[in-house]
Amino acid sequence: MKVIAEFTLVPVGTGVSLSPYVAECEKILRDSGLKVQLHANGTNLEGEWEALFAAVKRCHEKVHQMGAPRIFTTLKIGTRTDKDQTLEDKVASVKEKFQDPSERKPRE
Amino acid sequence: MKVIAEFTLVPVGTGVSLSPYVAECEKILRDSGLKVQLHANGTNLEGEWEALFAAVKRCHEKVHQMGAPRIFTTLKIGTRTDKDQTLEDKVASVKEKFQDPSERKPRE
Amino acid sequence: MKVIAEFTLVPVGTGVSLSPYVAECEKILRDSGLKVQLHANGTNLEGEWEALFAAVKRCHEKVHQMGAPRIFTTLKIGTRTDKDQTLEDKVASVKEKFQDPSERKPRE
Amino acid sequence: MKVIAEFTLVPVGTGVSLSPYVAECEKILRDSGLKVQLHANGTNLEGEWEALFAAVKRCHEKVHQMGAPRIFTTLKIGTRTDKDQTLEDKVASVKEKFQDPSERKPRE
């Protein structure tokens, strides 16, 4: 089953800077064969169910190994049977209905 | 790896009533061997990583079979290495620090 | 606008125990006039939009005052126009479609 | 209080295509004065607490007006007192610790 997901991992009980943990996790995700798109509040993923959750588990294992005693992860999981959809399709389907004012051409 | 999770499944592209889908999913969760606690905004789960995500996958498969073309799931995943904690421990650790006013005994 | 919500606040950059922060937040929620139901992965809330988000903001202010430099909150927000629904209604609508095996009467 | 947020709105009880609703919501967000970054699983927002939640409320009102009887929204809310951080800072702080293999220069 193909999945479109968003993954946000928050180490708890460490210092205030979380980026060293997130960066290690990003390496794992990029080695996983999944499509990976980092953004400001998480990482969008696209791929097969088993591969995706195996990668998320490896992130938890790695971040615990790095010393975080506790991890709080949030995931959004989307599956659909009506059509195949990519991460790029999802953005495009909104943007085609929404013309950004900054991109509007001035009337002559 | 032991996990404490919260699982909320939203079928999309069906009618406005979601409870028939959620009820079928609850049956799957209760047959999974996981600890299961339904609440108003999702279901709390406790168990091993593989068993938990296998059950979530079976829910997606079942809800698609029931006719939902699209599913939007949110998951919270908690793991920790410092101690073993149950769903009940999590509530108790807050409640012991917080005395509900309705439970306060009146002063004599 | 009436809202049914779930609120999970995670202080970051503090120690591994989060319950002192969550307990202070619970006091704020219970003083807010909202309906409040604590569970193992968050707190379910029911009430008017403005009152609900004002209470969530007071929680952030309080937890920062207690020393947490960073807070990560997740919220689920449900609104509907087709009917009035309570936290209790949401659980009941699932449970009436799902008979818990432990509650099944043995056949004679 | 400044907030970095992620907002994902899912109309329920409509058809399977959600992008017309999301596009209307994007227009509201872009008229709100907040910083807005659409991605495949939601929209990242940066701005003041009141402005942000007022815009989210206007989205709910609009999507109900468009005919959706029920809306399921998820929000991530980040606040911090230790430093001012932007959406761009969050991505950069991870990327500086993670060198994308595709960007690695071959050794000579």
Side-chain angles (χ1 to χ4, degrees):
Chain A
M1 188 174 359
K2 187 184 156 186
V3 183
I4 284 197
E6 186 190 52
F7 173 32
T8 304
L9 182 151
V10 179
V12 173
T14 64
V16 72
S17 173
L18 307 182
S19 56
Y21 302 93
V22 175
E24 286 302 309
C25 183
E26 283 296 300
K27 290 179 193 168
I28 290 169
L29 296 173
R30 286 172 201 242
D31 285 343
S32 68
L34 301 164
K35 191 187 292 180
V36 179
Q37 295 180 350
L38 177 69
H39 64 80
N41 285 301
T43 304
N44 291 329
L45 300 172
E46 180 184 329
E48 285 298 313
W49 185 284
E50 276 75 15
L52 195 146
F53 288 102
V56 170
K57 188 184 180 194
R58 284 197 298 279
C59 286
H60 272 245
E61 290 168 343
K62 179 67 178 178
V63 172
H64 282 311
Q65 281 169 21
M66 291 174 75
R70 193 170 177 177
I71 299 172
F72 179 74
T73 278
T74 53
L75 281 166
K76 291 177 196 147
I77 308 293
T79 58
R80 56 195 304 175
T81 54
D82 58 329
K83 65 171 174 178
D84 189 30
Q85 192 183 40
T86 65
L87 291 173
E88 293 79 10
D89 291 339
K90 288 191 73 177
V91 172
S93 71
V94 174
K95 285 203 168 168
E96 72 190 17
K97 291 172 189 69
F98 162 67
Q99 193 183 10
D100 192 318
S102 65
E103 296 165 10
R104 260 180 227 150
K105 290 177 190 163
R107 294 186 199 171
E108 293 175 29
Chain B
M1 189 175 357
K2 188 185 155 183
V3 183
I4 285 197
E6 186 189 51
F7 173 32
T8 304
L9 183 151
V10 179
V12 173
T14 64
V16 72
S17 172
L18 307 182
S19 56
Y21 302 92
V22 175
E24 285 303 307
C25 183
E26 283 296 300
K27 291 179 194 168
I28 289 168
L29 297 173
R30 287 174 200 241
D31 285 342
S32 67
L34 301 164
K35 191 187 292 180
V36 179
Q37 295 180 351
L38 177 70
H39 64 79
N41 285 301
T43 303
N44 291 328
L45 300 172
E46 179 184 329
E48 285 297 314
W49 185 284
E50 276 76 14
L52 195 145
F53 287 102
V56 169
K57 190 184 180 194
R58 284 197 298 279
C59 285
H60 272 246
E61 291 168 342
K62 178 68 178 179
V63 172
H64 281 311
Q65 281 168 20
M66 291 174 74
R70 194 171 177 177
I71 299 173
F72 179 75
T73 278
T74 54
L75 281 166
K76 290 177 196 147
I77 308 294
T79 58
R80 56 195 305 175
T81 53
D82 58 329
K83 65 172 174 178
D84 189 31
Q85 192 183 39
T86 65
L87 291 174
E88 292 80 9
D89 292 338
K90 289 192 73 175
V91 172
S93 70
V94 174
K95 285 205 169 168
E96 72 190 17
K97 292 173 189 67
F98 163 68
Q99 192 183 14
D100 191 319
S102 65
E103 296 165 13
R104 264 181 224 151
K105 289 176 190 164
R107 295 186 199 172
E108 290 175 29
Chain C
M1 189 174 358
K2 186 184 158 186
V3 182
I4 284 196
E6 186 189 50
F7 172 32
T8 303
L9 182 152
V10 178
V12 173
T14 65
V16 72
S17 173
L18 307 182
S19 56
Y21 303 92
V22 175
E24 285 302 308
C25 183
E26 283 296 300
K27 290 179 194 169
I28 290 168
L29 296 173
R30 287 173 200 241
D31 285 343
S32 68
L34 300 164
K35 191 187 292 182
V36 179
Q37 295 180 351
L38 177 69
H39 65 80
N41 284 302
T43 303
N44 291 328
L45 300 172
E46 180 185 328
E48 285 298 313
W49 186 284
E50 276 75 15
L52 196 146
F53 287 102
V56 169
K57 190 184 179 194
R58 283 196 298 278
C59 285
H60 272 245
E61 290 168 342
K62 178 69 178 179
V63 172
H64 281 311
Q65 281 169 18
M66 290 173 75
R70 194 170 175 176
I71 299 172
F72 179 74
T73 279
T74 53
L75 282 166
K76 291 178 197 145
I77 307 294
T79 58
R80 57 194 304 176
T81 54
D82 58 328
K83 64 171 174 178
D84 188 31
Q85 192 183 39
T86 65
L87 291 173
E88 293 79 9
D89 292 339
K90 287 192 74 176
V91 172
S93 70
V94 174
K95 285 204 168 168
E96 72 189 18
K97 292 173 188 68
F98 163 68
Q99 192 184 12
D100 191 320
S102 66
E103 296 165 13
R104 265 181 223 148
K105 288 178 190 165
R107 295 186 198 169
E108 291 176 28
Chain D
M1 189 173 359
K2 188 184 154 184
V3 183
I4 284 197
E6 186 190 53
F7 173 32
T8 304
L9 182 152
V10 179
V12 173
T14 63
V16 73
S17 172
L18 307 182
S19 56
Y21 302 94
V22 175
E24 286 302 308
C25 183
E26 283 296 299
K27 291 179 194 168
I28 289 168
L29 296 173
R30 288 175 198 239
D31 285 343
S32 68
L34 301 163
K35 192 187 291 180
V36 179
Q37 294 180 351
L38 177 69
H39 64 80
N41 284 301
T43 304
N44 290 329
L45 301 173
E46 179 184 331
E48 286 297 314
W49 185 284
E50 276 74 16
L52 196 146
F53 288 103
V56 170
K57 189 183 180 194
R58 283 197 298 278
C59 285
H60 272 246
E61 289 167 343
K62 179 69 178 177
V63 172
H64 281 311
Q65 281 168 19
M66 290 174 75
R70 194 170 176 178
I71 299 172
F72 178 75
T73 278
T74 53
L75 282 166
K76 292 178 196 146
I77 308 293
T79 59
R80 57 194 305 175
T81 54
D82 59 328
K83 65 171 173 178
D84 188 31
Q85 192 183 38
T86 65
L87 292 173
E88 293 78 11
D89 292 338
K90 289 191 75 177
V91 172
S93 71
V94 174
K95 286 203 167 168
E96 72 189 17
K97 292 172 188 69
F98 162 70
Q99 193 183 12
D100 192 318
S102 65
E103 297 165 13
R104 261 180 226 151
K105 288 177 190 165
R107 294 184 200 172
E108 291 177 28

